[in-house]
Amino acid sequence: MNRSLFYAAGLLMLASCSQGPKQNYVVTLNAGDAMNDKMAYIIDFDTEDKLDSAMISNGVAVFEGEVAKPRYVAISVDGTGVGSLYLEADSINVSEEGVKGGELNAKNDEYWTMRMDAIKEFRELPDSLQQARYEEFQTRINDAEKKLMDENIDNALGYYYFLYGPARNLDLAGLDSAIAAHPSLGEYQRIQKMRQAFVNQAETSEGKMFKDFEVTYNDSTFRLSDHVGKGKYVLVDFWASWCGPCIRQTAVIKDLYKEYGPKGLEVIGVAVWDKPEDTLKGIESHELPWMNVINAQSIPTELYGIQGIPCIILFGPDGTIISRDKQNDELREAVANAMKAAK
């Protein structure tokens, strides 16, 4: 793994959904008196299901239940995360000081203690030595993380570090190889979705035919097939108002629209993973002159296997995908070449 020395993992994950003999857990949340009389929930990150609930009284909520295998979960109060832990058959205490109790929580805590100690040691070095010894400290952390993952790859702890480490750099073949070596990985919904995204991405790569989708917002329905495959080049920008790289690409798209719009290029923005009100503000503030589809959410991203935005796709007159996932000068060149061929 190649992670920045100062990277801090903040994502959640879930353990394998295979069932086995269930064992009891007790989780005590020290929430503080300010949260009295509020309901706390344990939420399964993989499915977003609420697994358990408990009322906060005298600053404390106590969850009691059964678990077949450890899971990584979040604790939420009023929709806000207040803690995360590996839910195990043990007594677990969650407070501002961290998570105490459970074998996997202990292993994770040991790793993070080592990591933070290494960062502290590095920062205390004279400036003259930091650059020379950076790789040494980075390697120390990477090796410890890999060891933690390898030793726990078939449980919830190893899965987390796989999902947000090596899995990020895998393709379909690499992911299938990992699942073959560790079948429990294939039981997680996040892995299943990742694999399906790879398949969908391959099916909508350059040279493949477009896949139709429709989005309805305010009683108006947009269908991609009403625009793509109708004899003209269509540039579709999948974006969101909160996405900085998306906004930066609008300058490129504006140039292309200005130059090639009069020559027949159609541009369509498709807002995904965004609140409609935020999308509308973004369209206005960034003065986007082309058609924008509101509230598409994950409809097209799942269909096209889009795992990050912006994703900009150029469709040919017959609906063939001419260019995908290009930005800046590569995007300019792709559109220019297509429009030259159209003459």
Side-chain angles (χ1 to χ4, degrees):
M1 279 165 277
N2 181 22
R3 297 199 184 185
S4 166
L5 181 62
F6 304 108
Y7 171 80
L11 299 173
L12 304 176
M13 65 83 219
L14 171 68
S16 166
C17 60
S18 291
Q19 295 300 308
K22 293 186 177 181
Q23 295 177 296
N24 295 329
Y25 66 78
V26 177
V27 176
T28 302
L29 170 67
N30 295 277
D33 291 336
M35 293 190 176
N36 280 343
D37 300 324
K38 294 183 178 180
M39 190 67 74
Y41 297 93
I42 291 180
I43 300 176
D44 183 331
F45 177 73
D46 197 52
T47 63
E48 297 185 357
D49 290 338
K50 293 176 179 177
L51 303 179
D52 203 349
S53 62
M55 184 69 71
I56 300 172
S57 178
N58 296 321
V60 175
V62 179
F63 303 88
E64 296 185 60
E66 295 179 329
V67 61
K69 285 190 175 182
R71 303 167 178 254
Y72 199 80
V73 300
I75 300 181
S76 174
V77 179
D78 283 349
T80 300
V82 296
S84 59
L85 65 138
Y86 293 92
L87 185 63
E88 306 178 63
D90 208 330
S91 293
I92 301 170
N93 188 281
V94 183
S95 68
E96 291 182 354
E97 285 70 41
V99 179
K100 301 299 179 184
E103 180 182 359
L104 298 189
N105 289 310
K107 288 181 178 180
N108 192 54
D109 185 62
E110 181 181 3
Y111 163 72
W112 276 98
T113 297
M114 181 285 301
R115 184 187 184 103
M116 298 312 295
D117 286 347
I119 292 174
K120 182 175 182 291
E121 182 182 347
F122 175 83
R123 287 174 171 168
E124 290 175 348
L125 291 174
D127 292 346
S128 59
L129 291 179
Q130 285 191 358
Q131 183 173 357
R133 297 189 63 187
Y134 179 88
E135 290 300 327
E136 171 194 337
F137 279 83
Q138 184 68 72
T139 299
R140 184 194 305 180
I141 289 173
N142 288 348
D143 288 350
E145 184 172 314
K146 184 177 185 304
K147 183 174 184 290
L148 182 71
M149 181 192 73
D150 289 344
E151 291 178 349
N152 295 277
I153 192 62
D154 293 314
N155 64 43
L157 181 59
Y159 171 74
Y160 171 86
Y161 287 97
F162 171 79
L163 185 63
Y164 296 110
R168 292 189 171 193
N169 300 313
L170 295 178
D171 56 12
L172 178 59
L175 184 61
D176 281 345
S177 178
I179 293 172
H182 302 281
S184 64
L185 292 174
E187 298 175 6
Y188 295 89
Q189 287 194 22
R190 280 183 171 266
I191 289 291
Q192 293 169 8
K193 289 180 179 179
M194 180 182 294
R195 189 183 187 284
Q196 188 60 51
F198 283 137
V199 171
N200 292 351
Q201 190 177 67
E203 292 178 350
T204 55
S205 57
E206 294 179 1
K208 300 296 178 66
M209 187 61 62
F210 83 101
K211 288 188 177 184
D212 196 20
F213 64 86
E214 65 178 49
V215 176
T216 298
Y217 176 71
N218 280 355
D219 298 324
S220 177
T221 297
F222 166 89
R223 293 179 183 84
L224 186 66
S225 56
D226 288 340
H227 302 267
V228 171
K230 300 298 184 182
K232 64 171 64 175
Y233 286 92
V234 182
L235 189 70
V236 179
D237 176 27
F238 298 93
W239 71 292
S241 64
W242 49 263
C243 169
C246 297
I247 302 307
R248 288 192 288 274
Q249 285 307 300
T250 59
V252 177
I253 298 173
K254 283 181 180 180
D255 289 344
L256 294 172
Y257 187 59
K258 181 179 180 180
E259 182 173 0
Y260 298 109
K263 300 176 183 178
L265 176 69
E266 183 175 1
V267 175
I268 301 172
V270 178
V272 299
W273 309 334
D274 202 7
K275 296 178 181 178
E277 58 268 28
D278 292 340
T279 299
L280 293 169
K281 290 178 183 177
I283 293 170
E284 182 178 2
S285 63
H286 298 292
E287 299 180 331
L288 306 184
W290 47 80
M291 172 193 299
N292 269 278
V293 180
I294 311 300
N295 204 33
Q297 302 306 344
S298 61
I299 294 172
T301 56
E302 289 184 359
L303 187 64
Y304 280 77
I306 297 171
Q307 300 187 60
I309 52 176
C311 175
I312 304 170
I313 300 179
L314 176 64
F315 297 94
D318 65 348
T320 300
I321 295 173
I322 304 299
S323 169
R324 173 174 173 154
D325 292 322
K326 292 183 174 64
Q327 298 181 29
N328 301 314
D329 288 344
E330 288 188 345
L331 177 60
R332 295 178 192 273
E333 182 180 5
V335 174
N337 290 339
M339 296 306 293
K340 285 179 184 177
K343 293 180 179 179

